[in-house]
Amino acid sequence: MSEHVERILVVDDEERIRRLLKMYLEKEGYLIDEAEDGESALRLASDNDYDLILLDVMLPGIDGIEVCTRLRQSKATPVIMLTAKGEEMNRVQGFEVGADDYVVKPFSPREVIYRVKAILRRASATAYLSKERAMTNNIVFPSLIIEHDAHRVSAGGQEVSLTPKEYELLHYLAISPDKVFSREDLLKDVWNYEFFGDLRTVDTHVKRLREKLNKVSPEAAAMITTVWGVGYKLEVPK
């Protein structure tokens, strides 16, 4: 069977940036498609199953925030937002609509490659798990079931649609119930970042995860608890 070649969609209205990203990503063995505006990006993302999308925030017509919002209605493809320096509000908005990460322009191509590899590794594998843990495919709590082989989460008897990063965060907390993880721990182990990354990434994903669980099971949502001054844990009801 032929090995899967990961396919990435690069969305930016500047041809120079698309060309630069395409060159570096192809050098790493990825297949690259390009889009120069939001409409084209949505059409391509709907018609194809990309492994990852690099998405500029400032696009003509439909901007990157809206593209990500619409994409999340039907797909959980990992998204890295490209934002201009100083556009902090756009980065926060990006996380709120389901982006997995962001890169600030002007960027180092090496940093982009690092982030792409980190997200693809996390989206396609369970690198943070030991083999013994990986063998235990289902994690079952009274209000929450995680079927790891299927990457499926059910809360209160209803399936919950999570992005790859939201799923990985929940699963990581769930395999060590009642253990407290600092935001730095989570950024390093779930996002695989030691030098890059913003601690608010963790907070935003925890918030989104709680909100999604709360819609179907307040009991499941309440399991993700904040340990003030330390971090987060998945608390099993006694």
Side-chain angles (χ1 to χ4, degrees):
M1 196 169 90
S2 61
E3 188 180 341
H4 171 68
V5 178
E6 285 152 326
R7 196 171 168 199
I8 296 172
L9 175 62
V10 175
V11 187
D12 199 295
D13 59 332
E14 292 187 58
E15 186 184 359
R16 167 182 66 84
I17 290 177
R18 294 200 309 273
R19 196 186 306 129
L20 178 71
L21 288 170
K22 181 181 169 79
M23 180 179 73
Y24 274 88
L25 290 164
E26 284 184 341
K27 214 179 277 185
E28 296 293 327
Y30 302 118
L31 287 174
I32 307 301
D33 286 346
E34 300 177 46
E36 61 183 3
D37 55 51
E39 288 87 349
S40 306
L42 277 171
R43 190 167 58 250
L44 283 166
S46 298
D47 294 345
N48 300 278
D49 288 322
Y50 290 106
D51 294 284
L52 185 140
I53 298 173
L54 280 165
L55 178 62
D56 187 27
V57 170
M58 301 299 288
L59 292 169
I62 304 173
D63 68 12
I65 300 294
E66 182 63 22
V67 169
C68 194
T69 302
R70 294 193 196 179
L71 183 69
R72 282 288 172 259
Q73 292 170 5
S74 58
K75 296 212 172 189
T77 312
V79 172
I80 299 177
M81 304 289 280
L82 305 175
T83 71
K85 194 173 183 182
E87 291 174 355
E88 183 182 341
M89 185 54 67
N90 285 334
R91 296 201 292 275
V92 173
Q93 281 183 305
F95 285 137
E96 286 176 349
V97 298
D100 294 271
D101 196 10
Y102 66 85
V103 174
V104 179
K105 295 178 180 179
F107 53 75
S108 150
R110 283 178 60 193
E111 181 188 351
V112 176
I113 297 299
Y114 177 90
R115 290 177 183 269
V116 165
K117 285 185 172 179
I119 284 187
L120 288 174
R121 185 161 57 244
R122 297 303 180 189
S124 64
T126 53
Y128 57 82
L129 295 175
S130 67
K131 287 183 180 178
E132 292 79 12
R133 280 175 172 169
M135 291 299 288
T136 310
N137 295 320
N138 293 351
I139 300 173
V140 181
F141 299 112
S143 303
L144 181 68
I145 298 173
I146 302 171
E147 299 170 72
H148 193 55
D149 280 352
H151 273 228
R152 184 163 50 233
V153 173
S154 302
Q158 293 188 57
E159 191 169 334
V160 183
S161 176
L162 301 178
T163 67
K165 196 56 62 183
E166 289 162 357
Y167 174 84
E168 289 156 24
L169 174 61
L170 178 62
H171 188 263
Y172 186 79
L173 292 170
I175 58 176
S176 300
D178 295 319
K179 179 177 177 179
V180 181
F181 294 95
S182 71
R183 290 145 90 214
E184 290 86 354
D185 288 338
L186 293 169
L187 200 61
K188 187 177 78 168
D189 293 343
V190 178
W191 278 262
N192 198 33
Y193 295 163
E194 293 188 57
F195 307 108
F196 306 118
D198 187 327
L199 293 177
R200 285 171 301 179
T201 302
V202 178
D203 297 334
T204 305
H205 278 74
V206 167
K207 179 172 174 275
R208 285 176 57 80
L209 190 51
R210 280 178 176 149
E211 286 171 352
K212 287 186 176 183
L213 291 172
N214 193 57
K215 284 179 182 175
V216 295
S217 173
E219 295 80 11
M223 291 172 68
I224 303 173
T225 60
T226 302
V227 181
W228 296 108
V230 185
Y232 298 102
K233 68 174 178 176
L234 189 129
E235 189 171 65
V236 182
K238 298 295 185 283

